Amino acid sequence: MRPRALLRADERTSLVGWLDLQRSLVRGKCESLSEADAHRKVLPGSPLMTVAGLVSHLRWVEYSWFHQNLLGVPDEGQTPWTEDGHVDAEMFVDDRLLADLLDEYDAECARSNEIVAGVSLDTVEKAVFRKEGAASTRYILCHMIEETARHLGHLDIIRELLDGTRSQPPR
Protein backbone atom coordinates (compact mmCIF):
# COMPACT_ATOMS: atom_id res chain seq x y z
CA MET A 1 0.00 0.00 0.00
CA ARG A 2 1.19 3.48 -0.81
CA PRO A 3 1.33 6.11 1.93
CA ARG A 4 -1.32 8.80 2.03
CA ALA A 5 -0.78 11.86 -0.14
CA LEU A 6 1.44 14.58 1.26
CA LEU A 7 -0.28 17.08 3.52
CA ARG A 8 1.13 20.11 1.70
CA ALA A 9 1.53 18.98 -1.89
CA ASP A 10 0.59 20.87 -5.02
CA GLU A 11 -2.72 20.08 -6.70
CA ARG A 12 -1.42 17.55 -9.25
CA THR A 13 0.65 15.68 -6.68
CA SER A 14 -2.33 15.59 -4.31
CA LEU A 15 -4.81 14.34 -6.90
CA VAL A 16 -2.53 11.67 -8.34
CA GLY A 17 -1.35 10.73 -4.85
CA TRP A 18 -4.88 10.14 -3.56
CA LEU A 19 -5.80 8.20 -6.68
CA ASP A 20 -2.65 6.08 -6.43
CA LEU A 21 -3.47 5.32 -2.79
CA GLN A 22 -6.96 4.11 -3.70
CA ARG A 23 -5.56 2.06 -6.59
CA SER A 24 -2.96 0.41 -4.33
CA LEU A 25 -5.67 -0.67 -1.90
CA VAL A 26 -7.41 -2.73 -4.60
CA ARG A 27 -4.65 -5.35 -4.63
CA GLY A 28 -4.70 -5.49 -0.81
CA LYS A 29 -8.41 -6.30 -0.83
CA CYS A 30 -7.62 -9.33 -2.98
CA GLU A 31 -4.72 -10.75 -0.95
CA SER A 32 -4.89 -14.49 -0.20
CA LEU A 33 -8.27 -14.83 -1.90
CA SER A 34 -8.90 -18.12 -3.67
CA GLU A 35 -9.93 -18.14 -7.34
CA ALA A 36 -13.28 -19.60 -6.35
CA ASP A 37 -13.91 -16.78 -3.90
CA ALA A 38 -12.66 -14.15 -6.35
CA HIS A 39 -15.47 -15.23 -8.69
CA ARG A 40 -18.11 -16.09 -6.08
CA LYS A 41 -21.38 -14.24 -6.45
CA VAL A 42 -22.50 -13.16 -2.96
CA LEU A 43 -25.07 -10.50 -3.89
CA PRO A 44 -28.12 -12.14 -5.50
CA GLY A 45 -29.35 -8.83 -6.90
CA SER A 46 -25.94 -7.99 -8.39
CA PRO A 47 -24.44 -11.24 -9.69
CA LEU A 48 -21.69 -9.48 -11.65
CA MET A 49 -20.45 -7.79 -8.47
CA THR A 50 -17.59 -10.17 -7.70
CA VAL A 51 -14.06 -9.35 -6.62
CA ALA A 52 -12.76 -10.36 -10.06
CA GLY A 53 -15.55 -8.45 -11.80
CA LEU A 54 -14.80 -5.28 -9.85
CA VAL A 55 -11.07 -5.46 -10.58
CA SER A 56 -11.85 -5.83 -14.28
CA HIS A 57 -14.34 -2.97 -14.12
CA LEU A 58 -11.77 -0.70 -12.48
CA ARG A 59 -9.23 -1.57 -15.16
CA TRP A 60 -11.60 -0.68 -17.98
CA VAL A 61 -12.82 2.49 -16.27
CA GLU A 62 -9.19 3.64 -16.17
CA TYR A 63 -8.88 2.86 -19.88
CA SER A 64 -12.10 4.55 -20.89
CA TRP A 65 -11.53 7.80 -18.98
CA PHE A 66 -7.84 8.31 -19.81
CA HIS A 67 -7.41 6.68 -23.22
CA GLN A 68 -10.80 6.96 -24.85
CA ASN A 69 -12.13 10.14 -23.28
CA LEU A 70 -9.07 12.25 -22.48
CA LEU A 71 -6.84 11.24 -25.41
CA GLY A 72 -9.69 10.46 -27.79
CA VAL A 73 -8.32 7.03 -28.75
CA PRO A 74 -11.09 5.30 -30.72
CA ASP A 75 -12.28 1.86 -29.67
CA GLU A 76 -11.12 -0.48 -32.39
CA GLY A 77 -12.35 -3.65 -30.74
CA GLN A 78 -9.87 -3.74 -27.87
CA THR A 79 -12.48 -3.07 -25.16
CA PRO A 80 -15.03 -5.58 -23.87
CA TRP A 81 -17.94 -3.34 -24.90
CA THR A 82 -19.79 -3.66 -28.15
CA GLU A 83 -22.60 -1.55 -29.53
CA ASP A 84 -25.18 -4.30 -29.03
CA GLY A 85 -23.47 -5.96 -26.05
CA HIS A 86 -24.15 -5.97 -22.33
CA VAL A 87 -23.59 -2.64 -20.58
CA ASP A 88 -21.39 -4.38 -17.96
CA ALA A 89 -19.48 -6.63 -20.37
CA GLU A 90 -16.18 -5.87 -18.61
CA MET A 91 -17.45 -7.73 -15.55
CA PHE A 92 -17.93 -11.08 -17.33
CA VAL A 93 -14.62 -12.55 -16.19
CA ASP A 94 -15.45 -16.02 -14.84
CA ASP A 95 -12.79 -17.45 -17.18
CA ARG A 96 -10.04 -15.04 -16.04
CA LEU A 97 -7.51 -15.49 -13.23
CA LEU A 98 -7.62 -12.83 -10.52
CA ALA A 99 -3.83 -12.44 -10.65
CA ASP A 100 -4.01 -11.62 -14.37
CA LEU A 101 -6.81 -9.11 -13.81
CA LEU A 102 -4.79 -7.42 -11.06
CA ASP A 103 -1.69 -7.24 -13.26
CA GLU A 104 -3.74 -5.72 -16.09
CA TYR A 105 -5.23 -3.21 -13.66
CA ASP A 106 -1.79 -2.20 -12.36
CA ALA A 107 -0.50 -1.80 -15.92
CA GLU A 108 -3.53 0.29 -16.91
CA CYS A 109 -3.05 2.54 -13.86
CA ALA A 110 0.59 3.08 -14.83
CA ARG A 111 -0.48 4.02 -18.38
CA SER A 112 -3.08 6.40 -16.96
CA ASN A 113 -0.43 8.10 -14.84
CA GLU A 114 1.80 8.51 -17.90
CA ILE A 115 -1.08 10.17 -19.74
CA VAL A 116 -1.83 12.51 -16.84
CA ALA A 117 1.84 13.44 -16.49
CA GLY A 118 1.85 14.64 -20.08
CA VAL A 119 -1.11 17.03 -19.91
CA SER A 120 -2.21 20.07 -17.95
CA LEU A 121 -4.93 19.66 -15.32
CA ASP A 122 -6.92 22.08 -17.51
CA THR A 123 -6.67 19.85 -20.60
CA VAL A 124 -10.13 18.67 -21.62
CA GLU A 125 -11.27 15.42 -23.16
CA LYS A 126 -10.91 14.96 -26.87
CA ALA A 127 -13.83 12.51 -26.96
CA VAL A 128 -16.98 13.75 -25.27
CA PHE A 129 -19.73 11.30 -24.42
CA ARG A 130 -22.08 13.55 -22.42
CA LYS A 131 -24.28 16.51 -23.19
CA GLU A 132 -22.67 18.69 -20.50
CA GLY A 133 -19.48 18.90 -22.54
CA ALA A 134 -15.84 18.00 -22.09
CA ALA A 135 -14.38 17.28 -18.67
CA SER A 136 -10.96 18.54 -17.60
CA THR A 137 -8.12 16.29 -16.49
CA ARG A 138 -8.71 17.68 -13.00
CA TYR A 139 -12.34 16.52 -13.12
CA ILE A 140 -11.32 13.09 -14.41
CA LEU A 141 -8.81 12.64 -11.58
CA CYS A 142 -11.42 13.64 -8.98
CA HIS A 143 -13.94 11.29 -10.58
CA MET A 144 -11.45 8.43 -10.61
CA ILE A 145 -10.67 8.95 -6.91
CA GLU A 146 -14.42 8.73 -6.21
CA GLU A 147 -14.97 5.76 -8.53
CA THR A 148 -12.06 3.76 -7.14
CA ALA A 149 -12.89 4.55 -3.50
CA ARG A 150 -16.56 3.61 -4.02
CA HIS A 151 -15.59 0.26 -5.47
CA LEU A 152 -13.09 -0.30 -2.65
CA GLY A 153 -16.10 -0.11 -0.35
CA HIS A 154 -17.82 -2.75 -2.47
CA LEU A 155 -14.68 -4.90 -2.27
CA ASP A 156 -14.69 -4.51 1.54
CA ILE A 157 -18.27 -5.72 1.77
CA ILE A 158 -17.79 -8.61 -0.63
CA ARG A 159 -14.61 -9.72 1.10
CA GLU A 160 -16.31 -9.70 4.51
CA LEU A 161 -19.21 -11.73 3.10
CA LEU A 162 -16.79 -14.21 1.52
CA ASP A 163 -14.46 -14.96 4.40
CA GLY A 164 -14.95 -12.46 7.19
CA THR A 165 -11.84 -10.46 6.31
CA ARG A 166 -12.20 -6.83 7.38
CA SER A 167 -9.68 -4.19 6.45
CA GLN A 168 -8.62 -1.08 8.26
CA PRO A 169 -8.25 2.27 6.52
CA PRO A 170 -4.70 3.53 5.94
CA ARG A 171 -3.30 5.93 8.52
Side-chain angles (χ1 to χ4, degrees):
M1 181 183 75
R2 293 179 181 269
R4 284 184 181 257
L6 299 173
L7 294 174
R8 293 183 190 90
D10 63 86
E11 182 181 19
R12 176 184 296 274
T13 303
S14 293
L15 290 170
V16 173
W18 278 106
L19 180 53
D20 279 344
L21 172 62
Q22 304 311 304
R23 290 166 168 163
S24 74
L25 293 170
V26 170
R27 190 172 279 277
K29 305 288 181 199
C30 301
E31 281 181 6
S32 68
L33 193 62
S34 71
E35 278 304 318
D37 280 347
H39 293 87
R40 183 162 293 133
K41 296 155 179 54
V42 295
L43 302 171
S46 299
L48 296 178
M49 186 84 66
T50 64
V51 170
L54 282 169
V55 171
S56 179
H57 170 73
L58 286 167
R59 182 271 171 132
W60 287 107
V61 167
E62 289 274 344
Y63 181 86
S64 66
W65 275 100
F66 293 107
H67 278 84
Q68 292 183 298
N69 295 27
L70 187 58
L71 293 183
V73 175
D75 181 3
E76 296 175 346
Q78 67 269 35
T79 68
W81 306 292
T82 60
E83 198 167 305
D84 59 345
H86 193 281
V87 67
D88 294 317
E90 79 279 12
M91 295 178 82
F92 288 100
V93 292
D94 285 346
D95 61 337
R96 303 288 316 281
L97 294 174
L98 179 60
D100 292 343
L101 294 168
L102 285 165
D103 289 346
E104 290 171 11
Y105 176 61
D106 289 344
E108 197 63 56
C109 291
R111 284 189 291 271
S112 296
N113 279 351
E114 288 175 15
I115 292 168
V116 169
V119 298
S120 161
L121 293 178
D122 295 321
T123 299
V124 296
E125 303 169 289
K126 289 190 172 120
V128 182
F129 298 99
R130 74 195 71 72
K131 66 180 185 245
E132 298 85 11
S136 68
T137 303
R138 179 181 295 102
Y139 175 94
I140 293 169
L141 286 167
C142 288
H143 172 71
M144 289 303 299
I145 293 167
E146 177 273 330
E147 174 94 8
T148 307
R150 180 168 32 94
H151 290 312
L152 281 168
H154 295 138
L155 288 170
D156 276 337
I157 292 165
I158 293 170
R159 187 66 194 258
E160 188 170 346
L161 289 170
L162 287 169
D163 63 8
T165 298
R166 296 176 67 196
S167 61
Q168 299 299 317
R171 299 212 178 267

